[in-house]
Amino acid sequence: MASRIRALLTRIARSYVLFVVIGVIVGLALAPVAWNATSSEGTVAVVPVAGTIDGGTAAGVSSMLQQAREDPDVKAVVLLVNSGGGGAAASEEMYLQTKRTAQEMPLITSVDAAAASGAYYTIAPSDHIYAKPASTVGSVGVLATTPTALEPTTIISTTGPNKLTGGDEREFNYILESLGNAFISAVFEQRGDRLELSRTELEQARIYSGTQAVQNGLVDSIGGRQAAVEHAANEAGLDNYNVRVMRPDGTARFLSRSNYIASTAPNKTMVSAAYLYGEEPSGPVFLMVPAAYVEPATNDSAGGPAAAATGTTGGANVA
């Protein structure tokens, strides 16, 4: 009887030892994962700026930047840009939003196919701008459709001489000049000593390749989105971080086929220049786009851009 008890105790002891050995092996297998695991120190938010800049684009980008600023986990922002610009007012709104964001956290830009005109205005406050060699950058200036001449009729009356037209040609040119000067001054304010272009050279509203833009100071480095994300994380002091790609609602509209092809936007479409300035004359429309994106074959087409669309009007740059 005693021998049976000893045998039973021996088997129990062996089973216990085997259980402990298995537990130790499993523990050793899992321990490195637990010991080396590191929690994120913060998030780099990637905000796409894609397609023609209109009110919807400005609202979407502004909303994403506001979310980034208000999220305590977001420590830096990367703008992923593929746009040839758009409406002047919408472009200015986006510039103000990026400027505000850059004042609160590191803001780095990665230019994909293009950051031209109003899109370059948008990214001017960036701490660092990356572009690809084949990216197109620049076209710093303003383009506008000419005012439509209207006269009082038996149907339309007016209380003032400029109520119908909004002003004479000199006043129109003054507005155009003011918008152009604001754009150019913002670029000089934000880029500062990094620019290798004089104000006169910048006023020519040329479009540059990414390589040329690095040489003249409109862009800081050749690189893509990964370089921009790593730079943003480094500027924020993050060794371990998450990357959150934010997605705007709506459809990205493109005037340029090359920009459309390069876009990774989930919803995108091509539109004609008439999307910006309309089929029929409806008063002056102020735009921040390269003239090549919108100018029809002849400048005298109804509703088309002003005849001075590739030169200067009243001293203002027209891109």
Side-chain angles (χ1 to χ4, degrees), residues 2-307:
S3 61
R4 291 181 180 178
I5 293 175
R6 284 195 296 271
L8 178 60
L9 291 174
T10 300
R11 286 197 296 270
I12 292 174
R14 289 175 179 174
S15 297
Y16 177 76
V17 170
L18 180 61
F19 176 78
V20 171
V21 170
I22 293 174
V24 170
I25 293 173
V26 172
L28 290 175
L30 295 178
V33 176
W35 292 341
N36 294 332
T38 55
S39 59
S40 169
E41 298 172 355
T43 295
V44 176
V46 178
V47 175
V49 180
T52 301
I53 298 175
D54 54 17
T57 309
V61 171
S62 297
S63 176
M64 288 185 286
L65 290 177
Q66 181 179 0
Q67 291 177 44
R69 292 194 301 267
E70 294 177 350
D71 188 340
D73 189 54
V74 174
K75 307 300 182 182
V77 169
V78 170
L79 295 177
L80 181 58
V81 183
N82 179 21
S83 171
S91 299
E92 288 181 325
E93 173 62 24
M94 289 172 56
Y95 164 76
L96 294 173
Q97 290 295 324
T98 54
K99 182 178 180 180
R100 179 178 178 181
T101 303
Q103 292 171 343
E104 298 186 19
M105 64 183 67
L107 178 70
I108 311 298
T109 287
S110 171
V111 179
D112 201 350
S117 203
Y120 188 78
Y121 198 176
T122 297
I123 69 174
S126 302
D127 298 307
H128 198 95
I129 299 175
Y130 287 90
K132 300 175 182 177
S135 302
T136 52
V137 179
S139 188
V140 177
V142 182
L143 177 150
T145 59
T146 53
T148 303
L150 296 174
E151 296 293 339
T153 66
T154 56
I155 299 176
I156 300 176
S157 298
T158 178
T159 58
N162 293 324
K163 185 64 176 177
L164 289 176
T165 63
D168 58 25
E169 182 178 351
R170 183 175 61 179
E171 291 169 329
F172 166 75
N173 290 336
Y174 177 75
I175 295 172
L176 195 59
E177 181 180 5
S178 298
L179 291 173
N181 284 337
F183 188 174
I184 294 164
S185 296
V187 173
F188 268 93
E189 176 188 349
Q190 301 300 329
R191 298 298 295 173
D193 296 337
R194 290 177 286 184
L195 280 178
E196 298 296 332
L197 296 172
S198 67
R199 189 179 182 94
T200 300
E201 290 172 324
L202 191 64
E203 287 175 349
Q204 298 305 308
R206 286 187 57 192
I207 296 178
Y208 303 93
S209 70
T211 302
Q212 291 174 314
V214 170
Q215 295 170 350
N216 63 34
L218 289 175
V219 166
D220 296 295
S221 304
I222 293 295
R225 64 188 69 182
Q226 185 60 38
V229 168
E230 292 174 356
H231 192 141
N234 184 62
E235 287 294 312
L238 302 177
D239 293 323
N240 303 290
Y241 56 91
N242 295 320
V243 178
R244 182 193 308 164
V245 179
M246 306 179 79
R247 290 293 183 185
D249 296 328
T251 300
R253 300 176 176 87
F254 291 89
L255 296 174
S256 165
R257 173 61 63 178
S258 62
N259 294 353
Y260 174 85
I261 293 172
S263 172
T264 58
N267 301 307
K268 60 182 181 178
T269 186
M270 286 288 298
V271 296
S272 69
Y275 174 75
L276 290 175
Y277 59 75
E279 298 288 354
E280 298 294 335
S282 59
V285 179
F286 296 96
L287 305 172
M288 290 181 178
V289 292
Y293 282 23
V294 300
E295 192 173 15
T298 58
N299 282 325
D300 57 358
S301 300

